[in-house]
Amino acid sequence: MRISRYFWQKISSCAFAGSIALAPLQSVHAQTSPQNGIVRPGDRIAGPAFATRSPTYGMNGAAATAHPIATQIAIDTLKQGGTAVDAAIAANAALGLLEPTGNGIGGDLFALIWDPKTQKLYGINGSGRAPMGMSLADRAAREAKIKTRVPGSRPSFGSLTVTVPGAVDAWFSMHSRFGKLPMAKVLAPTIAYAEAGTPVPPIIAHYMASNFRRLEERAKAGEVEEFDNARKTYFANGAHKAGEVFKNPDLAKTLSLIARGGRDAYYKGPIAQKIDAYMRRIGGPLRASDLAAHQSEWVEPISVSYRGYDVWQLPPNSQGVTTLQMLGILNQFDMAAAGFGTAESLHLQLEAKRLAFEDRAKFLADPASAKVPTKGLIDPAYLKSRAAQIDPRKATVEVSAGDPSQFEKGDTTFLVTSDSSGMMVALIQSNYRGMGSGLVADGLGFMFQNRGEAFSLDPASPNVYAPGKRPFHTIIPGFITKDNQAFMAFGVMGGAMQPQGQTQIVVNMIDYGLDTQSAGDAPRWRHEGGCEPEGGCKPGLGRVALESGYPEATRAGLVEKGWTVSGADGDFGGYQAIKRDPKTGAYEAATESRKDGTALAY
């Protein structure tokens, strides 16, 4: 359903009037005055007042990324005759240079690809495995020797957290199946920008500064074994400020090797040899043999039906099933009647999150190494039984994982692209926590991911560390079909925020009638607490962070239901989406207002 302009005026005025009493974002850009409190956005004559801009429309293709130049590179690739997959790879390569705080060729990749020729959705799992040369006992012993910032915590950085980077192999797997332009042409724009340099935008500059502080601290504590290369590559004169030009000539050389030598240059050739030599020098466990053994996996996407729409995700070791569980639980409630932005609506969403995340902690792991009850977790009867545990009147103090076995039947970047044929791509790529491990191999110009932090060290956990095993993965691309036709490619970056954010986008669009841009601009919530796949549980209700756009009545209503509510902290993910009109083929693209990026179409 669509929401009337009158209703938007009512809820928008309520939201912005009430939100002045909320804790403001801790930002140097939050301007205030005695008369008005927090200064709010200017007025718009169409759509909800909280929308930052209109969606972008086009017929021939579209792209949305977290950096304007990456989006432009994607559009240029389409105009040169490239497919949506070519454009996605080109944009992803660019983001590894332009947004190193979230991704790069030292990380992993997942993607969902709609192929109009076969009328089918394809999924690729480009996640890497743990080094073969380090056992569980070895890792536990080495972790115990590291001085971490918080007593009793596990290391988040350094060589023990490095798993095989899967992004480059995934590029070539996608390209061989759906690409058209030569890979040298696809990578050429990023190589040129890496050599010439480009100004750093404000949000990325902010994250570069925070990563610099954190990584330097961990290097001094001995958790990051070698930091001079990272300092030279990213922080030669400290963290770049907004508008300062950043160059990465080493990355340009590495991408040039890949452009000429293909994926083997990375996994079997000169890049692999440099990685091996570096890891031996610093005492890290990753070896050239681990890289040579790596291969991406084409997988069958999984889905649930939500009010006549089919929402798709990749199966584990991804956490995509968690989004499907949340939506399957909410499908049992009349969310439209609960009302947009109300305490009643948020309460149901929060309880669905808690139930799904308990299952996430107990069951999700690498299905090649553990039995994961994926089908049971999204079985309609199981989801109905989980929904029955929710009390609409109050928060349930303690929740636990369910038993799906009886139903068993057998810091990140996100981008979307589409082309004139109807091909659509949802691609997500990450170095995991922050910029990654803090380690940059000699002369390569990219940081290794710290995805291995996501393993558990508990032998009883399905996600326990083991050589050659893939860790539990947070990054998840999303896709929606309607009547077996492509409807929307979308995603929300940001660790555990991803299933929570994706669910809010779907609910905002399908239950509350928002367009692609407004669905992302709407204020978000984030819940923290419960159990984690890496191990450890926080009992009780946890904490609900609310962005300042929610009215005071929503905050008060949640408190009345028993929730502990805090103000905004800036950690609400990053969203991109492209929707396709099945009748006209027109694209509607949107980008995250909380990031530096943009959406373009033509």
Side-chain angles (χ1 to χ4, degrees), residues 80-389:
Q80 291 167 11
T83 68
V85 164
D86 290 326
I89 296 169
N92 186 202
L95 288 165
L97 166 72
L98 302 167
E99 191 194 16
T101 51
N103 73 122
I105 58 173
D108 288 344
L109 181 156
F110 289 82
L112 287 165
I113 303 166
W114 175 263
D115 177 27
K117 291 183 179 179
T118 58
Q119 293 287 291
K120 184 179 177 181
L121 189 66
Y122 295 83
I124 189 166
N125 179 331
S127 61
R129 293 161 176 80
M132 291 299 296
M134 184 170 63
S135 68
L136 174 61
D138 291 338
R139 175 160 175 172
R142 291 184 62 172
E143 284 195 11
K145 296 178 181 179
I146 296 174
K147 297 179 181 179
T148 53
R149 180 170 56 182
V150 180
S153 68
R154 293 179 54 212
S156 300
F157 308 94
S159 68
L160 299 186
T161 67
V162 176
T163 49
V164 174
V168 172
D169 182 75
W171 285 355
F172 281 85
S173 295
M174 293 164 58
H175 183 265
S176 66
R177 197 166 191 171
F178 298 109
K180 184 182 295 184
L181 297 179
M183 279 293 282
K185 192 167 187 176
V186 171
L187 297 178
T190 300
I191 294 171
Y193 274 110
E195 292 171 341
T198 189
V200 179
I203 302 299
I204 294 173
H206 168 83
Y207 286 120
M208 287 189 79
S210 61
N211 274 277
F212 179 47
R213 291 191 297 270
R214 178 166 55 181
L215 289 171
E216 272 220 319
E217 176 184 311
R218 295 303 178 94
K220 290 176 181 177
E223 186 174 330
V224 177
E225 296 95 328
E226 188 279 323
F227 193 59
D228 287 342
N229 287 352
R231 187 181 289 108
K232 175 185 174 183
T233 301
Y234 298 108
F235 313 113
N237 298 305
H240 285 73
K241 296 180 175 62
E244 291 183 349
V245 175
F246 171 66
K247 299 179 181 181
N248 192 339
D250 285 346
L251 181 61
K253 294 174 185 176
T254 299
L255 290 174
S256 295
L257 287 172
I258 295 170
R260 292 194 302 269
R263 56 88 61 201
D264 282 357
Y266 191 105
Y267 293 94
K268 297 180 179 180
I271 299 170
Q273 296 307 314
K274 285 188 177 184
I275 291 172
D276 185 283
Y278 174 74
M279 285 292 174
R280 291 178 187 275
R281 177 165 72 83
I282 69 169
L286 188 67
R287 294 291 180 265
S289 56
D290 297 313
L291 293 160
H294 175 73
Q295 187 174 344
S296 298
E297 181 184 5
W298 290 98
V299 296
E300 286 293 325
I302 55 177
S303 69
V304 298
S305 177
Y306 188 75
R307 315 209 197 282
Y309 295 81
D310 291 311
V311 183
W312 297 85
Q313 297 284 332
L314 293 174
N317 55 319
S318 153
Q319 68 172 335
V321 67
T322 307
T323 301
L324 302 184
Q325 283 195 282
M326 290 179 66
L327 290 169
I329 292 169
L330 292 176
N331 210 20
Q332 314 303 317
F333 299 94
D334 189 344
M335 297 301 295
F340 173 75
T342 65
E344 290 71 24
S345 176
L346 268 62
H347 169 70
L348 295 172
Q349 295 176 61
L350 287 162
E351 290 287 54
K353 179 269 178 185
R354 294 177 68 213
L355 289 165
F357 269 59
E358 290 302 309
D359 284 350
R360 168 183 177 262
K362 183 174 181 179
F363 298 112
L364 298 196
D366 183 354
S369 304
K371 181 174 175 55
V372 183
T374 304
K375 293 181 180 179
L377 289 169
I378 57 175
D379 185 275
Y382 177 68
L383 294 171
K384 186 175 182 180
S385 72
R386 296 293 274 166
Q389 300 179 41

Side-chain angles (χ1 to χ4, degrees), residues 523-538:
R524 293 190 193 136
W525 56 265
R526 188 188 75 255
H527 177 264
E528 294 179 346
C531 297
E532 293 292 339
E534 300 91 332
C537 295
K538 296 178 181 178

